[in-house]
Amino acid sequence: SISMMAAPGSAADFADGFRLVTSKKRGKRQATRHRRAVVNRTRTEDDGEDDSIDVNKLERTILTAKEELRCSEFFSTVKDIFRHVRSGSWKNLCVSVTSDSKCRSRKSGDCLGEQSNASPVKELHDKLEFDAIVCYGLGRFSSCVTARYQLGLMLLLRELLDVGHSCYVYDPRFSSKEKQVLTTLGWQLIQKNEEGKRPVDRTTLFFMPHCGKPLYNNLLWSNWGARLNNVVLLGNSLSNMALRFPSTDLQKAAFYLHSILDLTKEFPLPNTFHFQDVFNDMSLHLFPVTDTSPPPLLWQQAAEPVYDLDWQEEIIRNSDT
């Protein structure tokens, strides 16, 4: 039988007595972040209710954003990337996400069309068909232009991937009227805060625009092992995320995110949309792995992640936990 090993940054690791020693100055910063994290944890799903929202007008605004995106150079590139991924010709687009890869420092789109020189990993299926879309972290699209365009992209991806009604969305900040709009647009509301911990047994696109690192780490943990083959992640570039943090810090705080980097295939989305802050630093990620992929001990790590005060502010916790 496979023994379960405690991952750094996991509950078991903290149970063993590990604590980060910090300076007084950093301690003050952490205390401030802790107060923010407490505020995040105590927010309810009805936070930010706005009775002035015109549901019909909001829906029309979203559909207008969707059609604007449909005609954009940005979405044309997105379609091309997904066409290569679904047809099995994804290698020609791939950017390696390894610790020593030169591609990791390039701007989005620079590696499109180039052959990756990454170490070989297990091949994906010849063709990749999507069965569902899950979105976390969209935000208040009734008041945020960025979120409205991201929702427009979600609608286009649902058409492109032909997943029918298998579309799920959650953000703890959604108002009741925003939920009404999402339901009208054909999205199923996830009823509880999963904190990204959703295991999937079929190919699922996770759309997570500009989410915190713990949310990505939780998603990877909940599908750790061969199940990662079913996860396709559209969100912040994991390679750029790794560049912004010292490797040892990232390994301690987000073990699963750090550990999957060398087995990740990343397709950067060129930031060509006219609003530069809507889809900046976004990539499509594939995880072509099996439970026997090297190194074999990697998949024995299975402890649920926990986070220190520096990272807790990046995720709104489930109030029931």
Side-chain angles (χ1 to χ4, degrees):
S1 62
I2 296 178
S3 60
M4 308 299 280
M5 300 173 64
S10 68
D13 188 22
F14 275 78
D16 288 339
F18 174 81
R19 290 292 184 274
L20 182 65
V21 178
T22 61
S23 66
K24 291 184 179 179
K25 182 179 291 187
R26 185 177 180 187
K28 291 180 180 178
R29 291 199 301 267
Q30 286 185 330
T32 301
R33 289 175 174 175
H34 175 63
R35 287 193 293 270
R36 292 174 183 169
V38 170
V39 171
N40 278 344
R41 289 198 298 271
T42 56
R43 284 174 179 162
T44 67
E45 293 185 1
D46 291 331
D47 248 0
E49 288 291 349
D50 188 352
D51 293 334
S52 67
I53 294 175
D54 184 327
V55 172
N56 293 327
K57 182 179 179 180
L58 178 57
E59 183 180 346
R60 290 194 301 270
T61 303
I62 293 166
L63 294 178
T64 299
K66 169 190 171 185
E67 294 308 313
E68 183 180 343
L69 270 168
R70 190 193 299 275
C71 301
S72 68
E73 177 187 349
F74 169 78
F75 185 61
S76 178
T77 303
V78 170
K79 287 192 295 183
D80 190 51
I81 291 174
F82 273 97
R83 177 176 59 82
H84 280 279
V85 169
R86 297 175 73 189
S87 67
S89 58
W90 55 276
K91 287 184 185 179
N92 294 328
L93 291 170
C94 193
V95 177
S96 174
V97 187
T98 59
S99 57
D100 57 355
S101 172
K102 294 181 180 178
C103 287
R104 293 176 66 243
S105 61
R106 299 185 183 183
K107 295 180 180 179
S108 295
D110 286 356
C111 293
L112 294 179
E114 296 182 9
Q115 183 69 33
S116 170
N117 58 2
S119 300
V121 296
K122 180 175 174 60
E123 300 292 339
L124 285 173
H125 301 298
D126 291 336
K127 293 186 177 181
L128 189 63
E129 293 300 329
F130 289 83
D131 297 296
I133 299 176
V134 175
C135 175
Y136 296 128
L138 181 64
R140 295 298 307 277
F141 57 87
S142 63
S143 57
C144 178
V145 174
T146 294
R148 282 200 290 274
Y149 279 105
Q150 291 168 349
L151 178 51
L153 178 61
M154 284 169 52
L155 296 173
L156 290 172
L157 290 174
R158 183 178 65 182
E159 293 178 5
L160 180 66
L161 303 181
D162 192 24
V163 295
H165 296 290
S166 298
C167 301
Y168 309 90
V169 60
Y170 181 82
D171 192 298
R173 297 188 180 96
F174 285 153
S175 68
S176 58
K177 289 192 175 182
E178 286 173 322
K179 293 177 183 179
Q180 181 182 339
V181 170
L182 288 167
T183 302
T184 301
L185 292 172
W187 288 80
Q188 299 187 50
L189 301 174
I190 298 173
Q191 296 302 316
K192 66 176 183 178
N193 186 353
E194 301 173 334
E195 298 181 4
K197 301 169 185 175
R198 172 176 281 237
V200 291
D201 295 316
R202 51 184 184 155
T203 304
T204 302
L205 174 67
F206 285 87
F207 182 45
M208 300 168 61
H210 306 312
C211 289
K213 293 175 289 297
L215 209 59
Y216 297 114
N217 194 54
N218 287 351
L219 174 65
L220 294 169
W221 165 76
S222 62
N223 291 280
W224 200 239
R227 188 178 275 164
L228 281 172
N229 273 309
N230 299 318
V231 175
V232 179
L233 172 61
L234 178 57
N236 290 70
S237 167
L238 298 188
S239 61
N240 288 339
M241 200 177 296
L243 285 173
R244 289 191 287 267
F245 291 88
S247 179
T248 53
D249 290 352
L250 190 64
Q251 183 179 24
K252 288 179 180 179
F255 172 81
Y256 299 100
L257 192 159
H258 175 271
S259 299
I260 203 61
L261 290 173
D262 288 337
L263 298 175
T264 300
K265 297 298 178 179
E266 180 171 335
F267 305 79
L269 272 60
N271 191 19
T272 56
F273 194 56
H274 58 86
F275 292 130
Q276 293 287 295
D277 58 346
V278 178
F279 304 111
N280 61 303
D281 192 38
M282 294 192 72
S283 292
L284 187 70
H285 305 82
L286 305 178
F287 308 100
V289 302
T290 70
D291 52 7
T292 58
S293 295
L297 292 179
L298 180 62
W299 309 123
Q300 297 179 26
Q301 310 280 5
E304 184 171 0
V306 294
Y307 303 102
D308 64 19
L309 299 181
D310 282 338
W311 286 55
Q312 285 181 16
E313 66 175 355
E314 296 191 30
I315 185 172
I316 296 178
R317 302 290 303 278
N318 186 338
S319 58
D320 295 332
T321 60

